[in-house]
Amino acid sequence: MGHIAANKGDLLKRVKRIAGQIQAVERALESDLDCAKTLHLVAATRGAINGLMEEIIEDHAREHVANPALSEEERNKGVEELLEAIRRYSK
């Protein structure tokens, strides 16, 4: 996935924010924070992970499926990789 290197900095920033959100969920659980507030923290974290996943899926689709320079074999491989990731993601 060398093409991700172009967005590496932005992706790493997202991951660090997600790590911070996960830590906030952990602190909420450890401190017996109100369940509604904990649910909001979890929902925000899930939204951030979904956003990260969407960005990486889009990058993959553009580079490994829609790129006109790809051979049919490369395109098919890219589609299969994408479908496998989506299947895992949607479970």
Side-chain angles (χ1 to χ4, degrees):
M1 282 196 161
H3 60 91
I4 285 184
N7 294 336
K8 185 178 181 177
D10 290 339
L11 292 173
L12 287 172
K13 285 178 191 175
R14 278 181 173 245
V15 169
K16 289 178 183 182
R17 280 194 302 271
I18 291 167
Q21 290 173 304
I22 293 289
Q23 290 172 350
V25 171
E26 181 180 18
R27 286 190 303 273
L29 293 170
E30 287 175 342
S31 66
D32 296 324
L33 188 68
D34 177 282
C35 64
K37 291 179 183 176
T38 303
L39 282 170
H40 286 280
L41 290 170
V42 172
T45 303
R46 183 177 182 186
I49 290 171
N50 287 344
L52 176 64
M53 184 70 171
E54 289 169 13
E55 186 170 345
I56 294 173
I57 284 173
E58 182 177 333
D59 287 347
H60 182 86
R62 291 184 190 283
E63 187 65 28
H64 298 284
V65 178
N67 185 337
L70 295 173
S71 69
E72 192 66 26
E73 183 179 333
E74 291 170 320
R75 191 178 316 281
N76 288 337
K77 181 179 183 228
V79 168
E80 289 306 316
E81 291 170 342
L82 185 57
L83 292 174
E84 181 181 342
I86 291 170
R87 282 186 207 105
R88 287 183 183 185
Y89 177 65
S90 62
K91 287 185 179 183

